[in-house]
Amino acid sequence: MSLPKRLIEVDLPIKRISAHARREKSIRHGHISTLHIWWARRPLAACRAVICAALWPDPADEHCPQSFRNEAARLIKEFAQKATSKKGFAETCDPATFAKWVGLSKPGCELDPTDPSHLNVLRFALLDFIADFANWDNSRVPEYLKTSRSLTQVAHETLGGEPGTRPLVVDTFAGGGAIPFEALRVGALPFASDLNPLPVILNKIILEFLPRLGDKLIKQVEQSGKYIRNILERRLNLLYATNAGNQKPFAYLWARVVNCEGPGCTFKYPLLKSFWLKNKGTNFIAIELIPNPNKDGFITEIIQNPNRNAVGRGTSHLGSATCPACGYTMPVERVRAQLSQRNGGTKDAQLIAVCETHSNSVGKFYRSPNEHDFRAFSIVNEMYEKILSKDIDGISLIPNEKLNHLRGFFNVILYGMKDWGSLFSPRQSLLMVELILLIRNEFVNIYKIDHDLAIATVTVLALAAGKVAQYNSSCCRWKSKGETLVDMFGRQALPMVWDFAEAYPFGRTTGDFGIYIENSCDILRHSYFGSVAGTVHQSSATRHPLPDNSYDAFITDPPYYDAIPYADLSDFFYVWLRRILARIYPDLFSEELSPKVDECVVLSHRGAMYLYKDSTYFEHMMTLAMSEGCRITHREGIGIVVFANKSTSGWEAMLSGLVDGGWIITGSWPIDTEMGSRLRAHNSAVLSSSVHIICRPREHIEKSSKTDNSGRWRDILNELPKRLHEWMPRLADEGIVGADAIFACLGPALEIFSRYSSVEKASGEKVTLKEYLEEVWAAVSREALNMIFEGADASGFEEDSRLTAMWLWTLRTSGNGNHIEEGDDPDDFEDHAPAKSLPGYSLEFDAARKIAQGLGAHLENLSHLVEIKGDTATLLSPAARTRYLFGKEEIETPKKKLRKQPKQTSLFDFEKGLKEIEEESKGWGGKLAGKAGSTVLDKLHQSMILFAAGRGEAMKHLLVENGVGRIPLFWRLAQALSALYPAGTEEKRWVDGVLARKKGLGF
């Protein structure tokens, strides 16, 4: 049987899907991502579009069943007639597509599926439908739901599925559940599995409980949640100092304290990253530390509209601590030592200020701690001591399970916070303990009436309790720009937080269990669309319980190599969930912490306990997982694997796993799922797209093909550049550039290589995937360079020009907007915008090496342009090259100059640097005494620096008298770099300034 291609193997409207995926990042109300945190979730828009395009055949393919064409044409025609007559449809539809729908809906307008000339029209109508269905606003519209499900059913049956059955979709790395949830929406029957208990119960709620119980579940969650919240407030509100009248607490601002070790100083002082409480808008507010009368500590005073220059940066900076009394600075090692002796200093932290809201006033107000606060703390400490030794079902009430030390992720361990309970202050611990006891009791009450409803309801309540913990730990921060509490997972890590914010849990806002219950019910309502239930199972993707050849599609989003320690992060929630749900799900919560032995991630460089989890381990585990995916997929089925990682080693391991796991890669589509403006994307090759790799089981392709399955190396190398030449302009048209485009080329490139079970050279030697990927990088680099210097012979530029252009192109991003991701620190995002002038542009060293090789450049010969430190290679900016470009080479080697000369980042620095060089060179009186740079890039960088420093005469001398301006390649390179430097940077302004002088100088 010859397989018809699926739509995703032919085309995909990635620009429109990407726009919907980006927009979805800012949608919170009703979105399943807000039910509970999970890391690196895929946007529902992308999943919905990809699943439809993977399940539906291409009607224009010669092997597409005619029955599908007939039904697809009828369904699309009906959709156009119903949708275009619906009020508001035009507002949620792409304008060009809306015009097409109107045309199709008109009487007499035929879409004849038996006419070959109509088949492409039908294909694009289906793709238009997919692109519009990706819109969040259309995700619950009945016309879209009915049409998508009908198309899915028709496709399944005409491709050989049993009549009346649904296509089966399996996701073995289910995570946050976006893929199986969208499979359920479009009419498939999903099987979701994961090794980690947290995503298992997340998926159970969305895929099993909600479809089965519907409104009954929502009503019970609402009722039970409200009851628990009211009891919680009655029991615990006395622990929070509240003033009579219209004042209500919003947040309590705390700081860990240390004892000064300066000579003769006895002060104990709080560790504050900043003295600001409000640092945006009007009416700025700050803290002032006042020595108390006993001279052993400080009290705080709230200062309204202080002199901004008089407010310091805080007592803590980069881990060190400076005493406000004597000025002595303790190094980070001593701060760690002191806090380690007190389990992180959470329990004896100092209350710095209380943020309040007033019912008859707008805004937030601040006060210093008072006697009501201290009286409440006394009660808290008494209650806390009583529960320290208590347990439930043999599990301590306060979590004593140990944290793993993951360098760079869990830095709190360095400060003595070695168990999960140490992350919570006594009052926060009491809140969580009382909450879990109330939820457990509610389970008993509901269970007497309805077993299934009790399990489903308490599972939802437990996740809401997890949200309370997320916003009520000593790792939460106060954001002075915005006056908000930032939850502990502003980054995908547990960094040390010196001054932390505690939410008032009964304020109907952040940290309030009642709010999270209301949000959960909204999500459940929005996610209930009347479908059958899916199946959720806990299992490792490397050892799956499903039988052979049982599923129609294998669609999954595996872990991203070394990017996220999923299991270790989830332990923060696991320890609380275990105390609530262990009796309900004994298999899921039988261990102290979540399972990690088989987790498929690279963490060998993060901690001693994970030394075995290196790149070889990841590749092995990924091969097993992909092999299992291939085993359980029908031979006529399809696979989609989503991956996004900036490291070449991560990609090589992932792709090796796919190919060795028995898949043939038939294509790839990058969908813009991230934000290029997020903190970690600044100035480095972080992907803004997730690449969706399309594959088919090799076994069926081999059996249906009558060709020899051994490939010839020479033929593949000849075909590769042709394929990339066709593919990269398409990516550029869709707005896919830079690193996104490079990795998006891996699909078409591997389509050539993976169709063969082996590839051999003329000598008989077998070619490895790693060797082939080196060729792919080289071919991509050459093709990209030809696009950058369109109309010019790129080979005419020296290697430094070629490398600079390609390097900057690689760092371009297709993302846009101004969003904060789950992995970013929101404070850092706002406070540290991209610098206008940059010291350099960073790439992973291996990626830089492969780019350079592809361009015929050698990094070892370019030390004056590229700085290599560890695994990172940095392309130095013109500013950082000032001394190399203008200093005397015989005085110092370029390497020494780069070390001695600070990187130039302002006009003042340029003036200072150039004056120093003038003095060393005995002056050049406005004209270069030495020669112009040896390469075109050097000459351009010299011109840019002179423009930046306001040395107009020197720049004229360089361009006119030294003849640089008469070099055609000089201006071509300037034009190219003008397009490549990031908008808003000084480098962009400088090169544009040079270009603006061209005509005035007679060129």
Side-chain angles (χ1 to χ4, degrees):
M1 173 185 173
S2 296
L3 295 175
K5 289 186 176 181
R6 307 295 172 93
L7 276 170
I8 200 168
E9 295 178 292
V10 179
D11 203 353
L12 202 65
I14 53 179
K15 183 181 286 186
R16 289 164 61 190
I17 296 169
S18 293
H20 294 312
R22 285 195 302 270
R23 178 203 167 203
E24 193 180 305
K25 288 286 184 175
S26 61
I27 293 172
R28 314 304 296 166
H29 182 74
H31 199 286
I32 64 167
S33 66
T34 59
L35 186 62
H36 198 282
I37 189 174
W38 188 254
W39 297 272
R41 289 175 181 267
R42 295 303 93 208
L44 301 181
C47 297
R48 186 158 59 251
V50 164
I51 293 168
C52 288
L55 296 179
W56 303 347
D58 172 26
D61 186 276
E62 60 178 325
H63 301 297
C64 180
Q66 186 61 41
S67 54
F68 175 79
R69 293 168 176 165
N70 296 339
E71 280 299 294
R74 182 184 66 80
L75 289 167
I76 284 295
K77 180 82 173 175
E78 286 182 1
F79 170 79
Q81 291 171 341
K82 289 179 181 179
T84 53
S85 63
K86 184 173 182 177
K87 184 178 180 181
F89 175 74
E91 284 72 29
T92 62
C93 187
D94 176 74
T97 302
F98 179 71
K100 295 178 187 177
W101 293 136
V102 171
L104 278 174
S105 67
K106 291 179 179 177
C109 177
E110 294 300 324
L111 186 58
D112 185 356
T114 62
D115 185 342
S117 65
H118 283 218
L119 295 182
N120 280 332
V121 177
L122 179 56
R123 171 200 285 170
F124 292 121
L126 290 173
L127 292 170
D128 279 338
F129 176 89
I130 287 171
D132 277 336
F133 192 25
N135 188 338
W136 170 261
D137 298 330
N138 293 332
S139 61
R140 285 173 47 85
V141 173
E143 289 79 7
Y144 282 97
L145 290 173
K146 182 180 179 182
T147 304
S148 66
R149 292 172 181 178
S150 297
L151 285 166
T152 298
Q153 189 66 35
V154 170
H156 174 60
E157 294 180 3
T158 57
L159 291 176
E162 290 290 327
T165 64
R166 294 167 179 255
L168 305 178
V169 174
V170 61
D171 181 0
T172 58
F173 292 101
I179 291 172
F181 177 66
E182 288 304 323
L184 198 65
R185 189 196 303 270
V186 304
L189 198 60
F191 187 105
S193 63
D194 204 290
L195 181 64
N196 193 292
L198 176 53
V200 170
I201 63 172
L202 267 169
N203 280 279
K204 276 186 172 294
I205 291 171
I206 295 298
L207 302 180
E208 292 183 347
F209 300 151
L210 184 60
R212 207 163 56 230
L213 297 170
D215 291 334
K216 185 179 180 181
L217 172 62
I218 299 169
K219 188 174 181 180
Q220 186 63 56
V221 169
E222 197 168 40
Q223 177 181 318
S224 295
K226 186 180 293 184
Y227 169 77
I228 289 172
R229 195 269 182 197
N230 290 339
I231 296 292
L232 191 69
E233 183 174 12
R234 283 207 302 270
R235 291 184 181 178
L236 297 185
N237 204 34
L238 72 146
L239 305 184
Y240 299 84
T242 55
N243 295 324
N246 62 0
Q247 299 169 342
K248 180 185 290 186
F250 179 81
Y252 300 82
L253 310 182
W254 298 81
R256 306 177 202 277
V257 297
V258 291
N259 293 304
C260 181
E261 297 179 354
C265 187
T266 61
F267 274 96
K268 179 168 65 176
Y269 60 92
L271 297 172
L272 294 168
K273 181 181 176 182
S274 170
F275 288 123
W276 290 106
L277 296 175
K278 180 184 178 184
N279 194 20
K280 191 175 182 180
T282 58
N283 190 28
F284 296 101
I285 303 172
I287 294 171
E288 184 177 354
L289 295 179
I290 309 295
N292 67 21
N294 298 327
K295 296 186 178 181
D296 61 353
F298 290 85
I299 59 175
T300 55
E301 184 174 319
I302 309 300
I303 308 299
Q304 302 283 340
N305 287 318
N307 183 328
R308 292 186 62 82
N309 295 326
V311 178
R313 67 180 182 184
T315 60
S316 175
H317 181 64
L318 298 177
S320 63
T322 301
C323 177
C326 70
Y328 177 79
T329 297
M330 285 196 302
V332 64
E333 292 78 14
R334 291 305 308 152
V335 175
R336 287 177 181 170
Q338 283 200 31
L339 293 180
S340 292
Q341 293 174 359
R342 309 197 315 274
N343 289 52
T346 304
K347 294 178 177 58
D348 59 359
Q350 179 180 344
L351 183 63
I352 299 300
V354 178
C355 177
E356 297 179 333
T357 58
H358 297 176
S359 59
N360 57 358
S361 302
V362 177
K364 295 183 176 71
F365 304 85
Y366 301 85
R367 64 171 175 81
S368 299
N370 58 32
E371 61 183 71
H372 300 287
D373 298 303
F374 299 122
R375 191 178 304 123
F377 301 153
S378 177
I379 300 173
V380 166
N381 290 330
E382 288 180 17
M383 293 178 65
Y384 180 77
E385 290 297 322
K386 291 179 181 178
I387 67 169
L388 271 176
S389 58
K390 292 187 177 182
D391 66 80
I392 43 175
D393 300 332
I395 306 172
S396 64
L397 280 174
I398 297 177
N400 57 6
E401 295 88 341
K402 302 301 181 185
L403 283 78
N404 292 325
H405 183 199
L406 298 179
R407 287 189 297 274
F409 283 124
F410 285 13
N411 290 342
V412 292
I413 292 182
L414 299 174
Y415 298 87
M417 301 165 76
K418 296 181 179 180
D419 60 61
W420 289 103
S422 64
L423 298 180
F424 297 85
S425 70
R427 188 160 63 182
Q428 291 170 335
S429 297
L430 287 170
L431 172 68
M432 290 303 301
V433 167
E434 190 65 31
L435 181 55
I436 63 175
L437 292 175
L438 285 170
I439 294 174
R440 284 169 60 94
N441 187 63
E442 184 67 0
F443 171 74
V444 174
N445 294 334
I446 306 172
Y447 195 79
K448 296 173 184 175
I449 304 168
D450 189 325
H451 294 188
D452 289 344
L453 183 61
I455 292 172
T457 300
V458 169
T459 305
V460 178
L461 296 177
L463 291 187
K467 298 278 284 187
V468 174
Q470 183 180 344
Y471 285 87
N472 276 283
S473 83
S474 68
C475 293
C476 298
R477 295 177 296 106
W478 183 251
K479 186 176 180 180
S480 60
K481 293 186 176 181
E483 297 181 281
T484 57
L485 182 147
V486 180
D487 78 289
M488 62 178 298
F489 289 111
R491 293 196 300 120
Q492 294 162 163
L494 290 178
M496 187 60 179
V497 178
W498 312 114
D499 45 341
F500 60 93
E502 177 190 18
Y504 174 58
F506 309 117
R508 307 298 304 162
T509 182
T510 302
D512 191 323
F513 179 72
I515 291 295
Y516 300 132
I517 289 297
E518 292 174 8
N519 291 344
S520 297
C521 290
D522 285 343
I523 294 161
L524 295 178
R525 287 190 192 94
H526 199 279
S527 303
Y528 181 52
F529 35 68
S531 64
V532 298
T535 303
V536 182
H537 194 274
Q538 184 195 26
S539 67
S540 168
T542 62
R543 296 185 303 276
H544 215 270
L546 292 176
D548 296 355
N549 305 322
S550 56
Y551 271 66
D552 300 283
F554 169 68
I555 305 177
T556 194
D557 178 24
Y560 295 159
Y561 197 59
D562 61 351
I564 304 168
Y566 302 89
D568 287 281
L569 287 171
S570 73
D571 281 342
F572 174 83
F573 302 103
Y574 179 93
V575 295
W576 294 112
L577 292 172
R578 181 172 173 241
R579 285 156 172 78
I580 302 172
L581 302 175
R583 296 180 69 180
I584 301 173
Y585 304 103
D587 293 338
L588 286 179
F589 296 98
S590 61
E591 301 296 328
E592 280 196 353
L593 296 170
S594 62
K596 300 176 182 66
V597 173
D598 288 340
E599 187 187 24
C600 188
V601 289
V602 174
L603 291 172
S604 57
H605 58 306
R606 297 291 188 177
M609 68 173 296
Y610 290 134
L611 289 178
Y612 70 97
K613 291 192 176 187
D614 56 12
S615 59
T616 302
Y617 167 84
F618 181 86
E619 184 173 334
H620 172 68
M621 296 294 282
M622 197 55 65
T623 299
L624 291 178
M626 295 301 107
S627 179
E628 281 290 271
C630 193
R631 176 186 65 78
I632 62 183
T633 304
H634 286 314
R635 301 305 88 192
E636 299 81 13
I638 191 169
I640 310 289
V641 177
V642 187
F643 201 66
N645 191 279
K646 70 174 183 177
S647 76
T648 57
S649 53
W651 273 97
E652 288 172 0
M654 175 71 242
L655 295 171
S656 293
L658 262 176
V659 174
D660 294 343
W663 294 94
I664 288 179
I665 295 170
T666 60
S668 66
W669 296 101
I671 297 179
D672 197 353
T673 58
E674 310 298 336
M675 296 299 166
S677 59
R678 66 199 191 283
L679 178 67
R680 64 183 180 276
H682 294 156
N683 230 17
S684 61
V686 175
L687 295 188
S688 63
S689 297
S690 295
V691 180
H692 295 66
I693 306 166
I694 303 103
C695 33
R696 296 279 195 149
R698 182 183 293 114
E699 178 184 331
H700 183 87
I701 300 294
E702 290 176 356
K703 287 181 179 178
S704 64
S705 173
K706 303 197 187 286
T707 59
D708 180 13
N709 200 42
S710 179
R712 293 194 299 178
W713 184 229
R714 182 179 62 185
D715 295 341
I716 289 175
L717 291 183
N718 286 336
E719 186 177 353
L720 176 62
K722 298 173 186 175
R723 180 65 59 87
L724 296 180
H725 184 69
E726 296 170 353
W727 182 237
M728 289 191 70
R730 163 69 195 274
L731 293 177
D733 289 342
E734 296 280 2
I736 303 297
V737 293
D740 294 307
I742 292 175
F743 289 116
C745 286
L746 294 175
L750 284 164
E751 194 178 338
I752 303 169
F753 185 85
S754 66
R755 69 169 70 123
Y756 304 105
S757 57
S758 66
V759 175
E760 297 179 356
K761 298 179 181 179
S763 63
E765 179 187 357
K766 287 191 176 182
V767 180
T768 65
L769 177 62
K770 186 176 180 66
E771 185 177 358
Y772 178 62
L773 289 174
E774 294 275 351
E775 294 292 335
V776 172
W777 273 80
V780 170
S781 298
R782 290 191 293 268
E783 183 61 34
L785 203 63
N786 289 333
M787 293 173 61
I788 294 168
F789 295 108
E790 186 177 3
D793 183 6
S795 63
F797 292 98
E798 296 101 338
E799 63 178 5
D800 59 349
S801 295
R802 297 198 301 272
L803 183 62
T804 297
M806 183 61 193
W807 199 300
L808 292 174
W809 182 85
T810 302
L811 290 169
R812 294 177 71 190
T813 175
S814 49
N816 54 62
N818 189 31
H819 296 257
I820 299 173
E821 302 303 304
E822 285 183 340
D824 293 335
D825 183 325
D827 261 354
D828 289 342
F829 181 87
E830 184 167 345
D831 295 345
H832 302 96
K836 286 189 174 182
S837 179
L838 303 167
Y841 300 83
S842 298
L843 279 177
E844 184 204 23
F845 170 73
D846 194 47
R849 177 186 64 79
K850 290 177 177 177
I851 288 172
Q853 282 184 350
L855 301 176
H858 303 279
L859 294 181
E860 61 271 20
N861 298 333
L862 295 170
S863 60
H864 57 278
L865 181 65
V866 177
E867 185 176 74
I868 299 170
K869 290 183 178 179
D871 295 333
T872 301
T874 302
L875 180 77
L876 297 174
S877 69
R881 304 182 69 216
T882 301
R883 179 160 292 277
Y884 168 79
L885 293 169
F886 292 103
K888 286 187 176 181
E889 292 195 42
E890 61 268 27
I891 296 175
E892 324 176 274
T893 64
K895 189 174 182 181
K896 288 182 181 176
K897 290 169 192 171
L898 286 173
R899 278 204 308 263
K900 288 188 176 182
Q901 177 68 12
K903 293 174 180 177
Q904 313 292 327
T905 57
S906 71
L907 296 187
F908 173 79
D909 289 335
F910 282 122
E911 290 285 0
K912 182 179 178 182
L914 289 174
K915 285 180 179 177
E916 288 176 356
I917 294 169
E918 282 183 308
E919 292 171 3
E920 293 171 8
S921 305
K922 297 181 181 178
W924 32 275
K927 296 182 179 181
L928 287 171
K931 296 180 180 178
S934 58
T935 68
V936 175
L937 180 70
D938 287 348
K939 295 177 176 70
L940 179 57
H941 280 181
Q942 286 176 326
S943 302
M944 291 167 63
I945 291 170
L946 291 173
F947 171 82
R951 302 296 184 88
E953 286 301 311
M955 188 173 79
K956 180 179 178 181
H957 177 82
L958 174 68
L959 295 178
V960 178
E961 297 179 33
N962 277 21
V964 171
R966 289 188 288 277
I967 304 173
L969 288 178
F970 176 88
W971 298 109
R972 288 178 184 169
L973 181 62
Q975 288 284 2
L977 296 192
S978 173
L980 292 170
Y981 278 123
T985 60
E986 293 286 17
E987 287 80 10
K988 163 73 171 167
R989 185 176 70 83
W990 299 339
V991 75
D992 286 347
V994 173
L995 285 167
R997 296 290 301 273
K998 180 180 179 182
K999 187 174 181 180
L1001 294 173
F1003 300 115

